[in-house]
């Protein structure tokens, strides 16, 4: 991070490693607690290990990064020549990561703007990328923040999960909503709204739910120039097939990323997750 404005995000952005390296973006890892072991997302726990633990109903929880880890990240950025830092993070409604970053920013050696994007996964990643591209072009901290916030305002995220049970266990969705879904044997579609995971629709079968997810994403994109990300957990064939269909349906498609989510999101959604992020340029 040698440019004047450094961009920091967290591991739930799920940006490709080569993209982060090319644009000088640093990701601070969240932690997955598997039994009595605390493991850093992205380096110490694989999604395969997570999926196996969830299927065996082993206890899995997640934890925010420590303020000390953020402080060290900000210090290294300053030592590398940054005179300002933009720190962009997943929704504060879902994690204490934003709060930890705010605490660390108070003692940072250079000014730090911490932003609650209200996003997660590549919805957050696209925001970080917009900020980095603005900084690369010589933009100020304020201009990089504005670019990220503008990108967030034009970004939507939709999810299919096989069951709401994992979201209920992690407190990310109400127990009554989860119980209703189970009682009706429906396949839930969810959306990110106001920084929270909210029910969108209930569909009777998995195949119909995935078809509906495709329709929603296509309607959201319309004919606009958009970037899209298709996420999954332990469902690579479903994700690849959905991505192929979206390529043919979206006339304004610019970039399309297909990736497996990391352990933090996976711990709360469970295997079978399929998600689509649509982000207007």
């Amino acid at each position: 991070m040698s440019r004047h404005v450094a961009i920091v995000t967290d591991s739930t952005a799920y940006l490709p490693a080569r993209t982060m390296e090319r644009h000088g973006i640093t990701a601070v890892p969240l932690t997955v607690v598997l039994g009595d072991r605390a493991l850093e997302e992205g380096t110490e726990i694989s999604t395969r290990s997570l999926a196996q633990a969830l299927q065996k109903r082993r206890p899995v929880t997640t934890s925010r990064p420590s303020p000390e880890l953020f402080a060290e990240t900000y210090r290294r950025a300053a030592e590398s020549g940054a005179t300002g830092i933009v720190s962009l993070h997943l929704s504060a409604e879902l994690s204490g990561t934003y709060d930890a970053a705010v605490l660390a920013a108070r003692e940072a050696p250079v000014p730090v703007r911490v932003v609650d994007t209200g996003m997660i996964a590549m919805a957050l990643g696209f925001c970080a990328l917009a900020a980095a591209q603005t900084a690369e072009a010589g933009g100020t901290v304020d201009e990089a923040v504005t670019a990220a916030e503008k990108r967030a305002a034009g970004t939507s995220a939709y999810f299919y999960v096989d069951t709401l049970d994992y979201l209920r266990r992690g407190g990310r969705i109400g127990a009554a909503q989860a119980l209703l879904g189970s009682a009706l044997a429906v396949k839930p579609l969810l959306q990110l709204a106001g920084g929270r995971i909210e029910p969108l629709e209930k569909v009777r079968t998995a195949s119909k739910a995935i078809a509906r997810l495709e329709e929603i994403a296509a309607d959201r994109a319309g004919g606009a120039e958009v970037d899209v990300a298709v996420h999954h957990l332990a469902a690579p064939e479903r994700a690849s097939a959905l991505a192929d269909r979206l390529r043919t349906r979206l006339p304004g498609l610019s970039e399309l990323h297909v990736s497996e989510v990391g352990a933090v999101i996976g711990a709360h959604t469970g295997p079978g997750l399929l998600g689509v992020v649509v982000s207007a340029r």
Side-chain angles (χ1 to χ4, degrees):
M1 294 189 294
S2 59
R3 63 181 183 274
H4 290 303
V5 177
I7 307 300
V8 174
T9 187
D10 59 67
S11 60
T12 69
Y14 302 137
L15 282 162
R18 63 185 180 277
T19 300
M20 292 180 59
E21 183 176 356
R22 184 185 316 128
H23 295 284
I25 301 170
T26 299
V28 177
L30 276 74
T31 299
V32 177
V33 182
L34 188 60
D36 59 355
R37 299 174 62 207
L39 305 167
E40 283 191 355
E41 181 176 44
T43 58
E44 296 180 340
I45 180 170
S46 68
T47 50
R48 175 174 293 183
S49 297
L50 171 79
Q52 291 173 344
L54 291 173
Q55 288 165 345
K56 294 176 181 178
R57 299 188 72 83
R58 293 179 61 189
V60 180
T61 59
T62 59
S63 176
R64 72 179 190 178
S66 68
E68 292 75 19
L69 186 54
F70 274 113
E72 174 64 16
T73 301
Y74 298 155
R75 183 187 64 77
R76 289 199 307 267
E79 290 176 350
S80 297
T83 56
I85 299 169
V86 177
S87 199
L88 301 148
H89 300 293
L90 79 159
S91 172
E93 294 281 350
L94 302 175
S95 168
T97 300
Y98 168 82
D99 294 331
V102 169
L103 288 172
R106 294 171 182 167
E107 307 299 327
V110 296
V112 180
R113 285 281 300 278
V114 182
V115 180
D116 172 12
T117 65
M119 300 283 116
I120 198 168
M122 274 297 291
L124 167 60
F126 286 133
C127 294
L129 189 56
Q133 290 168 337
T134 299
E136 286 172 331
T140 64
V141 165
D142 286 347
E143 288 169 339
V145 169
T146 297
E149 291 177 339
K150 182 178 179 181
R151 196 65 187 257
T155 298
S156 300
Y158 308 100
F159 308 95
Y160 161 82
V161 292
D162 277 333
T163 173
L164 291 171
D165 190 45
Y166 297 104
L167 285 163
R168 178 194 57 78
R169 287 189 223 169
R172 266 57 181 189
I173 199 166
Q177 292 171 333
L179 180 62
L180 179 62
S182 299
L184 295 177
V186 297
K187 295 298 183 180
L189 293 178
L190 309 167
Q191 65 179 334
L192 195 61
R196 297 181 298 275
I197 297 172
E198 300 284 358
L200 179 61
E201 294 182 8
K202 298 183 180 73
V203 187
R204 283 293 180 183
T205 67
S207 60
K208 289 180 179 178
I210 294 169
R212 182 62 184 139
L213 181 66
E214 177 186 339
E215 290 293 334
I216 292 168
D219 288 346
R220 173 66 181 81
E225 185 178 5
V226 295
D227 294 325
V228 171
V230 176
H231 289 303
H232 72 93
L233 180 64
E237 295 85 3
R238 278 179 175 176
S240 179
L242 176 58
D244 288 343
R245 294 194 299 272
L246 289 173
R247 283 190 184 96
T248 66
R249 293 196 60 172
L250 305 185
L253 181 63
S254 181
E255 293 186 11
L256 193 151
H257 303 265
V258 182
S259 65
E260 191 164 33
V261 298
V264 168
I265 290 182
H268 294 292
T269 60
L273 164 75
L274 199 58
V276 181
V277 175
V278 180
S279 183
R281 286 207 160 200

